[in-house]
Amino acid sequence: MPNIIKSDSEYKQWLTDLKLRIRQSQLKAAIKVNSELINLYWSIGKDIIEKQENSKWGDQLIPQLSRDLKQEFPDMKGFSISNLKYIRQWYLFYNEMSIIGQQAVGQLTKQAVSQSENVKSQQVVDRIQIVQQLVAQIPWGHNLRIISNCKSMDEALFYVQKTIENGWSRSILEIHIKQDEYKRSGKSLTNFKRTLPDVHSDLAQETLKDPYNFDFITLTEGYKERELENALTENITRFLLELGAGFAYVGKQYPLHVGNQDFYIDLLFYHLKLRCYVVIELKATDFIPEYAGKLSFYLSAVNDLLKHPSDNPTIGLLICKSKNQIIAEYALNNVNHPIGISEYELTKIFPKDFEGSLPTIEEIEEELEREEE
């Protein structure tokens, strides 16, 4: 007897929807479990700090606590001496400002504590509560990587928020920290404040970096723009990772037919969050004002030929070997299209004859054979 339910289209659709709901429930459960664990660690860190400060136990507290908790919860990880020390360090990292603020207020309680000081104290408490809510949204391993590599709370929270927004794995997070994205994000020289609406301007500014790190490619001395472009597109996954979340690759040397002539954009992207095309021009030389004019021309053409009525205005990004800040600012003053100007870093440069100086596979094999003899 045929299985009529399994082949029924209504059943198939219901089953698909049910599977999606189950997966979403599993994801929510995993997030909930992680959140509960991080909040538990937060409370343990708080208790350890308070007990060490207000008791005579001192350095003996953590080893003893580790033994007792592991004995009571043998199947539960996270109660080793080293992890309890990490929990203490992690809690302190985010609470130093709170502790300092509370000590300052405590010293003033003998005097008339002004309303402004009470307000400041409450602001500190409110911020710490927000911090706790944020760090509870990422795994413990991510939390440890962040506090181990960041020098300030603002830097740490930058990576916490980026991890939440983009779903970074631990390895991807480490790449962004290693490349110092905190210091580069939103630093591109732009005219966005003048050429874009406020909300769109702020998001667009935050999307660009300066400088861009191209150390994932290797070039020889005297390379041309086309070589740089080819190297980036051959490593498009790493290039997209460097550009940041939201960039979708459209093509290289993208053709535009204007006035019976053909023009070619170096790289064309579409940004999913900004809802607009992004034209990237690569220059293996220092910035000169003419580059801004040419890019502005491309933006006009893309807005006319490619942009959908529902899209936001196309954005241009010039990535140059270097730029003079004052010259770049002057160049953007009278440009009415949104353009950003950034530099790039590329340390893997080899002499032109470097490849020829390396032994061939045949030469290596012959040398190995001689050694065996």
Side-chain angles (χ1 to χ4, degrees), residues 11 59 62 73 148 151 157 163 170 196 221 228 248 320 346:
Y11 174 78
D59 295 338
I62 289 179
F73 306 100
S148 298
K151 298 178 180 178
L157 292 180
T163 299
R170 196 185 308 176
L196 293 173
E221 291 176 349
L228 176 61
C320 306
L346 179 58

Side-chain angles (χ1 to χ4, degrees), residues 202-242:
D202 293 342
L203 180 56
Q205 181 70 49
E206 191 61 31
T207 299
L208 304 188
K209 305 174 186 177
D210 189 28
Y212 284 89
N213 188 311
F214 291 165
D215 277 352
F216 54 88
I217 63 174
T218 301
L219 294 172
T220 57
E221 291 176 349
Y223 62 88
K224 306 297 183 183
E225 275 108 8
R226 187 61 61 85
E227 294 174 84
L228 176 61
E229 174 190 312
N230 289 338
L232 291 174
T233 52
E234 286 170 5
N235 294 271
I236 191 63
T237 301
R238 288 297 303 273
F239 186 33
L240 286 169
L241 180 61
E242 173 60 12

